[in-house]
Amino acid sequence: MNLSDDHSKSDGKGFNLTQLSRLLSDIDVQPNWRDPAQTCCDYYDGHQISSEVKETLIDRGQPVLINNLIAPTIDAVLGMEARTRTDLMLAADDDDGEQLQEALQERFKDAWRLAEQTERMQTLIVHK
C-alpha cells in the first residue's frame, strides 16, 4: 500500500492516507493536558483524597474529612472577574448604522471570548 494512494470516498469526503497520517501525527505531539485538568476538576469537586488513603482511613476507623478550600476560592475569583468585567461598546454614527453596529458588537464579543479562552489554555499549558 502506497501512502500517496487515495483511499477516501469518491464523494470527496474523508481523508486520504497521507492526510490521515498527518492528522494522527499532529495528535501525537499534543501536550498532555487532560490528566492535570482532571486533577484540577477533582480538587474543585472535593475529591482530593485518593481511594487508597480513604480506604486506609476507614480501616483505621478515622473519619474521611475534606475541607475544600479550592472551590470557594475559584468561585470567588470567578465572581470577582464577572463583577469587574468590562465590554467594549460600539456606537453607530446614525440610524443607518445600527444593524452594522449590532452585528460588529456580537462578532467582537465572540472574538474577545475566544481570544481569552486561548490565552487561558496557553497559561495552563505553560504552568503545567
Side-chain angles (χ1 to χ4, degrees):
M1 181 187 313
N2 190 354
L3 285 179
S4 62
D5 291 345
D6 189 4
H7 299 282
S8 60
K9 295 180 181 177
S10 61
D11 62 1
K13 295 181 181 178
F15 298 106
N16 65 32
L17 198 52
T18 303
Q19 292 169 325
L20 184 60
S21 296
R22 202 173 292 141
L23 179 67
L24 292 175
S25 69
D26 287 348
I27 292 171
D28 289 338
V29 296
Q30 290 292 316
N32 180 18
W33 61 269
R34 289 184 190 271
D35 294 335
Q38 186 59 50
T39 301
C40 292
C41 289
D42 287 344
Y43 268 70
Y44 179 85
D45 293 335
H47 307 294
Q48 302 171 4
I49 298 177
S50 69
S51 57
E52 295 85 19
V53 172
K54 281 183 185 178
E55 188 175 312
T56 302
L57 290 172
I58 292 170
D59 289 345
R60 291 181 187 167
Q62 293 176 290
V64 179
L65 299 176
I66 298 172
N67 187 5
N68 190 351
L69 301 176
I70 302 294
T73 304
I74 290 174
D75 291 344
V77 170
L78 290 175
M80 186 182 327
E81 187 272 335
R83 283 193 308 273
T84 59
R85 183 183 308 142
T86 56
D87 292 329
L88 178 69
M89 295 297 296
L90 301 176
D93 290 339
D94 53 24
D95 292 340
D96 295 335
E98 284 186 26
Q99 281 186 325
L100 178 61
Q101 175 264 326
E102 290 173 6
L104 287 173
Q105 185 75 38
E106 288 304 313
R107 291 292 300 241
F108 181 80
K109 282 183 182 180
D110 288 342
W112 188 259
R113 179 183 50 81
L114 292 173
E116 286 180 335
Q117 287 177 351
T118 302
E119 183 179 337
R120 283 193 293 267
M121 287 302 297
Q122 289 172 346
T123 301
L124 287 173
I125 291 169
V126 168
H127 289 89
K128 175 176 99 163

